[in-house]
Amino acid sequence: MRSTAASNGRPAIPAPAGPRGPKLHAHRRHEFGQSFQDGGEHYDRVRPGYPLDSVEWLVPEGAGTAADIGAGTGKFTALLVERGLDVAAVDPSTDMLDQLRKSHPNVVALEGTAESTGLADSAFDVVSVAQAWHWCEPLAASTEIARILRPHGTLGLIWNQLDTEVAWVHRLSRIMHAGDVHKPGFRPVVGPEFTGLESHFTRWEDALTPNDIMELTKSRSYYLRANDATRAKVMGNLEWYLYEHLGFVAEETIKVPYVTQTWRASRNSGPLPR
């Protein structure tokens, strides 16, 4: 993995009237989120990790404890552990957590959600939510995360995305139905418990074969929820695009551009809203 970082401070962040990420009603959000209940081994094997630059920017000096919410199989948890933090991981999927426990036996892993973590009050310096905030109800999740954070603690929201500023990758994302690719001006919604929302972007490349890209597509919520006919259509379109249109060969290594968006905000020091 190769990464280059680009950071922007608060004044440079666009402030549109509302969020521009995927728009999902609560029922639809739950329905798509349920698609990740199983398949933990496949998810862990095919999904990319995160660049070290992301956690270095997110975690403040002196932090000792972190909770990774929506941790899945532990892709971001791994960076928190490597950083030397005492980590608790929360996810609604038993299957995902089983994979996390295999890789990180010293991490406290609990079934729960961002809206109901089951963790203690004011116990953490950092709470991260990687590749999962769009599955959460943001205001309820903000309230719960503020409860488990210490005053001035850091909330981190992280997304790995295909770099759709690259033309061939933009078309690839459409064929894969990579629905979590944010539009320009995206700004995540957080509750009034947090202040000073700011962002950091890391551009990097993941080395994949065409088959790796197909397996990655199979880990997407759209594919997991689709019927057999839709799945076959997606795979057929991918084969045409990768082999016939782009001219890749089966064992060729393709440098797939990614961008990781890391957002952070600080928990207010005063009494939490009721």
Side-chain angles (χ1 to χ4, degrees), residues 67-104:
D68 193 22
I69 310 300
T73 63
K75 294 288 186 177
F76 197 78
T77 310
L79 292 183
L80 297 170
V81 171
E82 290 171 12
R83 183 82 175 180
L85 301 174
D86 291 329
V87 183
V90 175
D91 196 89
S93 168
T94 303
D95 193 51
M96 293 282 187
L97 288 178
D98 284 345
Q99 295 298 317
L100 187 150
R101 292 183 181 109
K102 290 176 184 178
S103 300
H104 306 288

Side-chain angles (χ1 to χ4, degrees), residues 58-60 63-68 80 85 124-128 149 153-156:
L58 174 63
V59 176
T65 56
D68 193 22
L80 297 170
L85 301 174
F124 300 97
D125 299 310
V126 177
V127 172
S128 58
L149 270 173
T154 300
L155 166 64

Side-chain angles (χ1 to χ4, degrees), residues 16 31 48 52 60 71 98 101 115 117 119 127 133 166 176-177 207 212 236-237 240 243:
E31 181 182 276
L52 180 62
D98 284 345
R101 292 183 181 109
E115 297 83 4
T117 64
L119 298 171
V127 172
W133 193 245
V166 179
M176 291 174 64
H177 292 268
D212 292 334
N237 288 340
W240 170 82
Y243 293 121

Side-chain angles (χ1 to χ4, degrees), residues 216-238:
L216 178 62
T217 301
K218 293 176 183 178
S219 76
R220 294 277 179 176
S221 60
Y222 177 88
Y223 185 91
L224 293 171
R225 298 292 299 178
N227 59 32
D228 289 344
T230 299
R231 290 181 176 187
K233 181 178 180 181
V234 170
M235 288 295 108
N237 288 340
L238 266 179

